[in-house]
Amino acid sequence: MDFNHSDDRQMLADTLGRYLAQKYDFETYKRIAVSESGFSRETWGALAELGIIGALFGEEAGGFGGSGFDISVVFEALGRALVVEPFLGTLMAGRLLADRHDLLEQVIAGTSILAFAHFEPQGRYDLTELATTAVRAGDGWVLSGAKAVVPQLEAADHILVSACTDGGLGKSAGLSLFLVPADAAGVTVRGYPMIDGGRGGELLLKDVTLGADALVGPENDAFDGIEATVAAGIVALCAEAVAVMAVLRDATLDYLRTRTQFGVPIGKFQALQHRMATVALEIEQARSAVINAAAALDGDRWHRERAVSAAKFTTGRVGTLTAEEAIQMHGGIGMTWELPLSHYAKRLTMIDHQLGDEDHHLERYVLLGTEAGEA
Amino acid sequence: MDLNFTSEEEAFRAEVRLFLAEQLPARIADKVRTGKRLTKADMVEWHAILNARGWLANHWPVEWGGPGWSVVQRYIFDVETALAHAPRIIPFGVSMLGPVLLEYGSDAQKQHWLPRILDGSDWWCQGYSEPGAGSDLAGLKCAAVRDGDDYVVNGQKTWTTLGQFADMIFCLVRTDPKAKKQEGISFLLIDMKSPGVEVRPIILLDGEHEVNEVFFTDVRVPAANLVGEENKGWTYAKYLLTYERTNIAGVGGSMAAFDWLKHVAGAQKKAGKPLAVDPYFAARLAKLEIDLENMKTTNLRVLASVAHGGAPGAESSMLKIRGTEIRQEITALTRRALGPYAQPFVSEALDEGYNGEPIGPDYAAPVAAEYFNNRKLSIFGGSNEIQREIITKAILRL
C-alpha cells in the first residue's frame, strides 16, 4: 500500500504546478477565460513544451504517461489554476487515436488541437443516444448530424466525431468514429462563452464528405472505446473537481480565521465550525473516490465503470455542497466577480454538467451493480 | 380548522387577476417569465401602473395612500402578481423607508417623502451594510457629525442594491462613537446627488451590475433629514427589518418558479422520455413540491396569527430560512434539468430584443446565472445563519 505518487509523476505535478503559479495567476485566468478565443494558444504551446500533453498518453501513442494517475495529477494541477485550455477534448479524442502517430505527435507538441464530439442535443448524458449518421459513399463516408456543448470546439483543428453506421438510436452496437478536419466542407461550428469561463460550441455536420481514412478504429464497434475514453475524461474532471474543492476549502478556512464580526473571527462560531468540518471530510471522501477511479481506469471494464461512476457521483454531490457552502460562509463577498472564489464555485458546479451529473452516475452505478458479469 | 379562503377573499383574488390581465404589460411579464433583464424603465412603469390603481403601497394606511387591505389580501396579491410574472415591487422606498417614516417620521417628512415614493419622484436605496458590518450590522462605522444645520457624513456603505438608479439613500450612520454600539446610531436621508457621494459598481459572479459600493466624503446633509431622534436609529433599523414580513417566504415567487421548473422538466428529455418522469429527477421534484406545499401552509399560519391580532415575531425567521432554501433548490433543479445546456452563457441573450438563435432549448439562457445569482437569497436580509440565531434565542430560548 502506497498512496504517494511515483517520483516521475510527482516531478511532473510539481513542474506544472510551479509553471501555473507563475504564469497562470487569477488575473491571467480572467483575461483568457472571457477572451474572444476563450483560451490561450501561447499557454497551450508552453504547456506542451513542458510535456503536459505527452503525460496524458501512453508510450504506444508517443506519450510517456496515460495512466489514471498521470491524468489525475495533471488535471489536479490544472484545476487549481482554473485552466480553461482544451485538455479534456485532447485527452478524450487522443486516447482513441493511438494509431495515428503523425497526428498525435503534433498534438503532443501542441501544434494541433483535438476535440471529442460525441454527445448530442437530444441525448443528455447518454453514451449511446446518437442521431448523427455516417453513410458509405464510394470509398469514403458522408456524415450528417449535430453534437452538443463540445468544450473548446472552436480551438480544435481536428474533431473526433461519433456516428451511427448501422442501426438506430439507443444502441451501443453500430457506432463508429471519424476524424473530421475542422475546416472540412459542411462543418459548422457555433461557438459561445461558457458560464464558468472558456468557450464551447455546437457542431453541425451537413453532408460532410470524408475519405476512407477518416474512419478511426473498427467500423460498427466503437462503443467500447468511447466508453473507455469517457471514463478517462471522468477521471480527469473528478481530479480537477477535487483540486477546485481544495482551493475553495482553503479560501473559506482563511476567511473564517480572518473575518471578524461581533468582535471575534467568525470561525469561532460553532455553527460554522461544524459545517466547515463536514465540508472538509466530504472533500477527503471525494479525493478517495478519485483515487479509486484512477486506479481502476486501466483495469477491467466492470470495475472501471463502477469506479468512475462512483467518483463522478461523489464529486457531483460534494462539489455542490462545497461550492454552496464556500459562497454562503463568505457572505456577499463570495458572490463577487472580483474574488477568485466565485469563479472556482462556478467551475465546480459546472463540472457536474459534463460527462454525466450526480443523478446520471448514481443510476448508472445501480444498473452496473445489477449486471451479471461482475466477477 | 378551515384552510379555505373566504368568499370575500376569493372575490378579491378575482379582482386582482382581472387587474393583472388588463394592466400588466405583456412585454414586461414575458421578460420576467423568461428570465430577461428588467430595465429601470420597466420597473418604473410597473410601479406607476400599481400606483394608478392605489395598490403600490398596499400595506400603508389608507390616509397615506394604502388600499386598507388585510394581511390575507396582501398575501393573495403577492401570490397572484408573482404567478402572473409581474416584476417585484422594488422594496426600498415602499416597503422599507415608508413604514419607518409612517412610524417615526415627522409630519413634514411624511408629507414630503411619502407622496414622492408613490409617484416615483425618488428612487430609494438602502445604506445599511458596510465592509466591516454585515451580519454584525450594529458595528457600522459610517460617521455623521453635526455642524450647524447640517450633518457631515464620512464613510462607506456596500451591497447597495440598484443604487446606480437611486436619487436618495436612507442610511444608518454613527452619531455617537463613544456610546454602546447600538446606541450611537442615527437614521439619515441623503441625496445621492450631494457633492461627495460616489457610487461604484460591484459586479457579481453572474456578470451583473446589481449592487454597489457607496462612498461618502464630507457629504453635507440637512439636519431636517434626520428621522426620529439622534442616536435612536437602531430602533428604527430593527423596525424596518421586521416590518414588512408577510412576503418574506416568497411563496408566490417560488410557486411561479416551480411551475416553470415543471415546464422545463417536462420539455427536457432523458432516454426519449420527459425528464420529469425519470425516477431520480421525479423524486427531487416531489420532495421540493412537498416542501413548497408545507411552506404555503406554514406561511398562512403565521399570517393568520397576525390577522387575528398576534404579532409576527421570530416566526418570520423560519419563513425566511425555508422560503429562501426552497427558492434556491428550485433554481438548482432547473439548472440540473438542463444537463449539458446549463453551461453556455450568452449574456446578451437576456436583453430585450435579442434575436440570436438560442443555444439548446430556448428556456436555457438565464438558468445557470439565476442559480448562481440566487445564492444571495440566503445571505442578504439577515443571513440564514443570523435567522437561525434569532430562532434559537427568541423561540427556543436556548
Side-chain angles (χ1 to χ4, degrees):
Chain A
M1 195 71 47
D2 180 5
F3 286 106
N4 297 303
H5 288 302
S6 67
D7 289 347
D8 286 354
R9 207 174 275 139
Q10 192 57 52
M11 208 187 299
L12 172 79
D14 294 345
T15 305
L16 178 56
R18 262 198 311 274
Y19 176 85
L20 294 172
Q22 285 169 11
K23 304 279 187 169
Y24 210 102
D25 63 6
F26 180 59
E27 292 308 313
T28 308
Y29 159 77
K30 279 202 288 190
R31 184 168 47 74
I32 294 173
V34 300
S35 66
E36 218 162 281
S37 60
F39 84 110
S40 158
R41 205 168 272 279
E42 188 192 337
T43 300
W44 184 252
L47 291 170
E49 211 164 292
L50 285 180
I52 305 308
I53 302 169
L56 301 177
F57 303 111
E59 284 173 18
E60 76 289 350
F64 56 88
S67 78
F69 290 111
D70 294 315
I71 294 168
S72 69
V73 292
V74 168
F75 276 82
E76 265 199 75
L78 298 175
R80 254 193 311 276
L82 287 181
V83 172
V84 295
E85 275 62 24
F87 280 95
L88 184 67
T90 293
L91 167 73
M92 289 198 289
R95 282 174 82 87
L96 293 166
L97 293 165
D99 56 355
R100 307 273 168 139
H101 289 291
D102 292 350
L103 176 57
L104 270 189
E105 205 172 294
Q106 294 169 29
V107 169
I108 288 169
T111 54
S112 196
I113 295 176
L114 303 175
F116 180 58
H118 174 62
F119 297 92
E120 301 194 356
Q122 79 291 351
R124 204 169 171 86
Y125 303 120
D126 196 313
L127 283 179
T128 59
E129 204 179 308
L130 302 188
T132 298
T133 58
V135 179
R136 276 194 182 278
D139 281 351
W141 299 86
V142 177
L143 267 66
S144 288
K147 298 290 178 177
V149 200
V150 182
Q152 298 293 12
L153 178 60
E154 296 158 301
D157 304 295
H158 298 272
I159 308 162
L160 189 63
V161 176
S162 56
C164 296
T165 36
D166 190 6
L169 282 177
K171 289 184 189 150
S172 55
L175 305 184
S176 305
L177 289 162
F178 297 88
L179 189 62
V180 180
D183 58 2
V187 171
T188 309
V189 169
R190 256 188 93 201
Y192 41 74
M194 304 284 244
I195 195 152
D196 55 339
R199 289 176 71 83
E202 303 293 286
L203 178 65
L204 294 172
L205 304 157
K206 202 178 168 208
D207 299 329
V208 178
T209 304
L210 302 169
D213 63 345
L215 179 71
V216 173
E219 184 181 343
N220 291 335
D221 206 10
F223 179 76
D224 290 352
I226 291 169
E227 190 182 57
T229 213
V230 168
I234 291 172
V235 168
L237 285 175
C238 291
E240 181 186 353
V242 166
V244 173
M245 290 174 202
V247 171
L248 289 169
R249 177 199 59 206
D250 293 347
T252 307
L253 276 174
D254 191 44
Y255 193 75
L256 292 179
R257 291 187 184 112
T258 51
R259 168 70 173 177
T260 299
Q261 289 283 269
F262 306 102
V264 292
I266 59 174
K268 291 291 174 200
F269 293 108
Q270 203 170 44
L272 298 185
Q273 289 171 347
H274 285 191
R275 279 163 55 187
M276 197 62 217
T278 300
V279 169
L281 84 84
E282 289 284 17
I283 292 173
E284 293 312 315
Q285 286 282 87
R287 182 176 293 284
S288 295
V290 178
I291 292 170
N292 290 344
L297 188 64
D298 307 312
D300 69 88
R301 185 246 169 195
W302 190 82
H303 287 96
R304 180 192 72 208
E305 291 304 317
R306 290 255 291 182
V308 298
S309 277
K312 196 66 170 60
F313 164 76
T314 304
T315 51
R317 184 179 63 77
V318 178
T320 302
L321 173 80
T322 305
E324 292 183 352
E325 284 287 53
I327 291 175
Q328 183 68 24
M329 288 194 233
H330 272 78
I333 198 78
M335 297 252 336
T336 60
W337 185 272
E338 189 187 346
L339 214 66
L341 185 100
S342 69
H343 298 263
Y344 283 90
K346 285 190 288 183
R347 177 65 196 132
L348 186 53
T349 305
M350 285 300 130
I351 288 176
D352 198 33
H353 289 264
Q354 293 184 269
L355 304 183
D357 68 1
E358 184 187 327
D359 287 0
H360 172 87
H361 283 285
L362 182 61
E363 180 184 23
R364 198 161 176 272
Y365 187 87
V366 170
L367 292 173
L368 284 161
T370 62
E371 268 184 25
E374 54 192 88
Chain B
M1 194 73 70
D2 181 0
L3 298 188
N4 297 302
F5 290 101
T6 64
S7 56
E8 290 82 5
E9 285 160 354
E10 287 299 344
F12 174 74
R13 184 194 302 282
E15 188 188 352
V16 173
R17 284 188 180 167
L18 183 65
F19 164 78
L20 289 166
E22 288 175 355
Q23 298 285 319
L24 173 60
R27 181 186 68 80
I28 292 179
D30 201 52
K31 287 172 84 168
V32 173
R33 187 177 55 81
T34 58
K36 294 238 163 57
R37 279 186 196 95
L38 291 174
T39 62
K40 179 181 181 181
D42 295 330
M43 299 183 243
V44 167
E45 184 180 346
W46 179 233
H47 273 215
I49 291 166
L50 287 173
N51 188 46
R53 180 65 182 252
W55 287 359
L56 177 60
N58 56 56
H59 49 295
W60 289 12
V62 175
E63 58 172 312
W64 290 104
W69 289 347
S70 67
V71 287
V72 174
Q73 283 177 298
R74 276 150 54 191
Y75 169 80
I76 289 170
F77 176 81
D78 289 337
V79 168
E80 292 301 326
T81 47
L83 290 178
H85 309 291
R88 67 174 187 142
I89 294 173
I90 305 300
F92 308 109
V94 173
S95 300
M96 293 182 171
L97 178 63
V100 168
L101 289 178
L102 285 162
E103 185 71 17
Y104 300 107
S106 66
D107 284 343
Q109 285 171 336
K110 285 187 239 188
Q111 274 158 21
H112 179 73
W113 297 113
L114 293 178
R116 295 173 62 85
I117 291 174
L118 292 181
D119 69 15
S121 299
D122 298 320
W123 182 300
W124 284 89
C125 63
Q126 182 182 24
Y128 268 36
S129 294
E130 298 180 6
S135 285
D136 183 10
L137 182 60
L140 61 92
K141 291 198 168 68
C142 184
V145 177
R146 186 70 185 247
D147 180 29
D149 289 338
D150 292 339
Y151 285 98
V152 179
V153 178
N154 281 286
Q156 182 195 345
K157 294 294 175 180
T158 194
W159 312 126
T160 312
T161 302
L162 302 182
Q164 70 268 36
F165 299 148
D167 305 295
M168 296 290 297
I169 182 168
F170 56 88
C171 277
L172 295 180
V173 291
R174 189 156 299 285
T175 36
D176 184 353
K178 293 193 196 76
K180 230 182 94 189
K181 66 180 180 179
Q182 287 89 351
E183 288 165 12
I185 293 170
S186 299
F187 196 104
L188 206 54
L189 312 178
I190 304 177
D191 188 333
M192 295 289 278
K193 292 178 290 295
S194 314
V197 177
E198 188 196 347
V199 179
R200 290 185 207 159
I202 299 173
I203 304 302
L204 292 182
L205 75 178
D206 55 355
E208 294 293 318
H209 175 197
E210 181 177 345
V211 290
N212 302 272
E213 297 177 289
V214 183
F215 295 86
F216 302 90
T217 310
D218 295 330
V219 176
R220 299 196 78 85
V221 181
N225 284 11
L226 176 75
V227 175
E229 294 176 47
E230 195 175 87
N231 296 328
K232 292 282 167 60
W234 187 245
T235 305
Y236 317 148
K238 283 193 300 184
Y239 179 79
L240 180 154
L241 286 174
T242 54
Y243 180 81
E244 175 48 26
R245 288 274 157 122
T246 54
N247 196 25
I248 194 166
V251 162
S254 285
M255 285 163 69
F258 187 74
D259 284 349
W260 187 246
L261 165 59
K262 283 198 291 190
H263 166 72
V264 170
Q268 288 292 105
K269 293 285 191 291
K270 185 183 165 195
K273 287 188 286 201
L275 182 64
V277 301
D278 169 66
Y280 291 82
F281 200 84
R284 289 184 185 269
L285 275 179
K287 285 189 227 173
L288 186 52
E289 186 164 25
I290 290 165
D291 247 354
L292 180 53
E293 286 303 312
N294 295 344
M295 182 80 255
K296 277 153 81 173
T297 297
T298 305
N299 194 29
L300 287 168
R301 285 168 58 209
V302 172
L303 293 190
S305 72
V306 181
H308 297 108
E315 289 79 11
S316 61
S317 292
M318 293 189 177
L319 300 181
K320 200 268 177 174
I321 292 169
R322 211 73 193 99
T324 54
E325 286 175 349
I326 287 169
R327 187 59 183 272
Q328 288 178 327
E329 182 63 9
I330 293 170
T331 62
L333 277 199
T334 313
R335 165 178 68 70
R336 184 175 294 285
L338 288 185
Y341 282 110
Q343 301 169 80
F345 183 57
V346 179
S347 182
E348 309 85 69
L350 304 187
D351 287 329
E352 188 174 7
Y354 176 76
N355 285 324
E357 195 190 326
I359 313 292
D362 59 6
Y363 43 71
V367 169
E370 276 177 5
Y371 162 76
F372 289 117
N373 182 277
N374 273 332
R375 303 316 310 165
K376 72 188 174 192
L377 299 179
S378 48
I379 296 171
F380 70 16
S383 71
N384 286 11
E385 288 78 10
I386 291 295
Q387 304 296 343
R388 284 188 167 87
E389 283 289 310
I390 292 170
I391 292 170
T392 306
K393 293 200 171 79
I395 298 179
L396 307 177
R397 306 207 176 279
L398 289 172

